Amino acid sequence: MTATEADHGRIDPTMIRQILGDSLGYLYPAALRVAARFAVADHLDEPRSAAELAARTGVNAGRLGRALRLLSTRGVFAEDDAGRFRLTPAARLLRTDAPVPLRSIVLLFTDEVYWRPAGRLDDTVRQGRTAFSDVFGLPFFDHLPTAPETEQLFADALATISELEQEAVVAAYDFPATGTVVDVAGGRGGLLRTVLTANPGLRGVLLDRAPVLERHLLDVPALTGRWRTEAGDLFHAVPPAGNVYLLKRILHDKSDEESAAVLASCRKAMANDARLLVVDAVVPSTPGAHPAVVSDVLMMALWDGRERTAEEFAALLAGEGFHLGRIIPTASALSVVEAVPV
């Protein structure tokens, strides 16, 4: 018996199953996309068979049932002995009327703009750059305008993600009583709306691309007269004279060079007593499971960005005229990295 054969005899079979199971792990998000795309959860006001669900959603009954059976092994839906499926607490989050509907996020995370570059991660690692342009012909943010449905899905999903995080961010940071908050590339303005609602003495400016601003969330009675939108490019100029500048989930999808350009644009607009809040995940200094570890791989798969450590943030900020003041954890996966002009 060779050493390799002897070692094989001592391998824990559960480890073999784990590795082989993980190598087929992509089938779970594929099945999750089926449930989200066809809004299966919306049709489960009571337990229903795959045939009943297929009739309501216009898909093949046998194949739908097999996808739902896989999801049921992970607690998304539950299958009874009669072959009927019912909602679980996890599946309820896929309903369009859920308090925090995750359907748009699932559809984005399993869309081809995320899926296909992730499948080329080996090329990304070999080349030292994202394979996104190899797949779609353009970088991510140049590709989006060529695919309007995906662009809207991206905006909707990011707005929902912001809903999950913005209360925790605002609660963690002590905003000034008065002044102007500039939300740079702030999407539809969910974070800015939460900041202004919690701090009635503040005014706000939302900067983003014109198509995104058309669907902003700021026009609510409590904020009347306290906000404006401005279409623009964060790489070239941001609104001047703000007291607090927000960069939420902006730097993490950008290379150090791109991030430096954004920071330089902000620094040019800021007075010396203003503050810049970089709201991103911060990679822990010790190894282990953390949401930033997963997100970091996504950043290199789709973009040439990265999640950064405290030390990496400090170096990046210092290069563009900022000092890292403090890092404030929040109840979400994000932290508030406060930067002070120098």
Side-chain angles (χ1 to χ4, degrees):
M1 178 180 292
T2 66
T4 300
E5 290 171 335
D7 289 342
H8 179 74
R10 292 194 294 269
I11 293 176
D12 184 348
T14 61
M15 295 298 99
I16 296 176
R17 289 194 293 271
Q18 176 186 329
I19 293 297
L20 295 182
D22 287 349
S23 67
L24 290 172
Y26 56 87
L27 295 175
Y28 172 69
L32 194 60
R33 179 173 181 82
V34 168
R37 181 178 177 186
F38 300 115
V40 171
D42 285 359
H43 299 285
L44 284 175
D45 48 301
E46 62 182 50
R48 299 186 190 279
S49 67
E52 291 174 306
L53 291 169
R56 288 167 172 259
T57 57
V59 301
N60 180 274
R63 299 192 180 221
L64 175 62
R66 290 155 68 182
L68 295 181
R69 181 172 61 194
L70 174 59
L71 294 177
S72 295
T73 67
R74 301 283 290 268
V76 181
F77 305 106
E79 183 181 14
D80 63 23
D81 292 340
R84 295 173 302 181
F85 296 92
R86 61 176 174 80
L87 291 177
T88 60
R92 289 183 186 279
L93 296 173
L94 295 175
R95 289 179 61 92
T96 53
D97 60 357
V100 182
L102 298 188
R103 183 169 177 255
S104 65
I105 302 176
V106 170
L107 288 173
L108 176 65
F109 285 177
T110 60
D111 188 86
E112 66 172 0
V113 293
Y114 275 49
W115 189 283
R116 291 176 63 190
R120 297 278 295 275
L121 189 62
D122 52 343
D123 289 331
T124 290
V125 170
R126 177 177 55 81
Q127 297 170 163
R129 62 171 176 81
T130 174
F132 190 95
S133 294
D134 298 338
V135 177
F136 290 101
L138 292 168
F140 185 92
F141 288 110
D142 293 329
H143 169 74
L144 275 189
T146 72
E149 289 186 9
T150 304
E151 185 174 36
Q152 181 168 324
L153 175 62
F154 183 75
D156 289 345
L158 262 60
T160 303
I161 291 172
S162 187
E163 286 183 37
L164 298 174
E165 301 166 336
Q166 59 204 22
E167 295 285 352
V169 171
V170 174
Y173 189 77
D174 187 16
F175 285 86
T178 60
T180 299
V181 176
V182 180
D183 195 356
V184 179
R188 296 174 62 191
L191 175 60
L192 183 59
R193 182 181 64 183
T194 303
V195 170
L196 298 182
T197 300
N199 299 274
L202 291 175
R203 303 174 66 85
V205 182
L206 177 63
L207 174 76
D208 214 305
R209 296 177 297 110
V212 177
L213 295 177
E214 290 175 359
R215 303 177 65 235
H216 72 78
L217 304 171
L218 298 173
D219 195 9
V220 295
L223 305 185
T224 299
R226 295 171 51 207
W227 59 270
R228 65 180 176 87
T229 63
E230 183 171 321
D233 182 344
L234 77 168
F235 287 103
H236 295 109
V238 303
N243 301 96
V244 177
Y245 286 76
L246 301 175
L247 287 173
K248 179 177 180 290
R249 289 193 179 274
I250 301 301
L251 299 187
H252 75 155
D253 61 23
K254 295 173 178 55
S255 67
D256 285 350
E257 294 75 18
E258 293 170 325
S259 296
V262 173
L263 291 172
S265 182
C266 291
R267 182 64 186 93
K268 184 177 180 180
M270 294 172 63
N272 289 336
D273 60 350
R275 294 292 181 267
L276 174 68
L277 306 184
V278 178
V279 184
D280 264 328
V282 176
V283 178
S285 57
T286 56
H290 189 278
V293 176
V294 176
S295 180
D296 184 46
V297 175
L298 178 65
M299 293 307 106
M300 73 169 172
L302 272 68
W303 303 279
D304 284 317
R306 62 186 304 158
E307 303 294 2
R308 296 176 172 89
T309 64
E311 293 76 15
E312 288 167 337
F313 271 118
L316 183 63
L317 291 163
E320 301 305 323
F322 291 97
H323 169 70
L324 196 164
R326 54 185 175 147
I327 295 179
I328 306 165
T330 78
S332 72
L334 305 180
S335 292
V336 178
V337 179
E338 184 185 55
V340 182
V342 294

